[in-house]
Amino acid sequence: MAKLSQDDLLAQFEEMSLIELSEFVKAFEEKFDVTAAAPAAVVAAGPGAPAAEAAAEQDEFDVVLTGAGDKKIQVIKVVRELTSLGLKEAKDLVDGTPKPVLEKVSKEAAEKAAESLKAAGAAVEVK
């Protein structure tokens, strides 16, 4: 196998999506038993990389309720399921939109909560 130059490697990294690059870094860390947390951030924010892609690397997300929709009672029920709020607190949260429902949760938990709220008819934003 021919040895790739540093420029060739960088050209390959530029063509990768942020998710592909993240998976590569994880595989590299496992293969060589190293941690590349700081260098990965430098590569991800390299020249020509949009700021939105660098922000997608975050590991904590907020689920913000932006609107209750037509089925407010269903949305209140879902908010109560997702949080430990009582009926009055959940109703106040839904009435006072936009408000965060969940803060600093994993991506999977944020997506699951957003899907539940959307299924109940709410307008939701994941930040």
Side-chain angles (χ1 to χ4, degrees):
M1 179 174 176
K3 184 175 178 180
L4 296 174
S5 71
Q6 190 173 18
D7 292 333
D8 293 337
L9 286 172
L10 289 174
Q12 289 296 316
F13 290 140
E14 283 179 343
E15 294 176 13
M16 293 176 123
S17 71
L18 191 58
I19 293 172
E20 292 171 329
L21 186 58
S22 174
E23 290 171 354
F24 169 78
V25 170
K26 287 177 186 174
F28 186 90
E29 288 174 341
E30 289 174 10
K31 171 99 174 161
F32 296 105
D33 194 28
V34 295
T35 303
V42 172
V43 172
E53 284 186 4
E57 200 60 324
Q58 69 187 25
D59 58 356
E60 292 182 341
F61 296 84
D62 296 340
V63 179
V64 180
L65 182 66
T66 57
D70 296 335
K71 300 177 183 177
K72 192 161 114 176
I73 294 172
Q74 296 296 344
V75 174
I76 292 170
K77 287 181 181 180
V78 173
V79 168
R80 290 193 67 207
E81 290 173 9
L82 295 173
T83 64
S84 59
L85 297 176
L87 181 59
K88 181 182 182 331
E89 291 85 4
K91 182 183 179 303
D92 291 343
L93 187 144
V94 171
D95 288 340
T97 57
K99 290 219 174 164
V101 176
L102 298 173
E103 295 179 323
K104 297 182 180 180
V105 295
S106 69
K107 183 176 183 178
E108 294 80 22
E111 288 174 351
K112 185 177 178 183
E115 287 176 23
S116 297
L117 287 164
K118 286 178 184 174
V124 181
E125 188 176 304
V126 177
K127 294 183 177 183

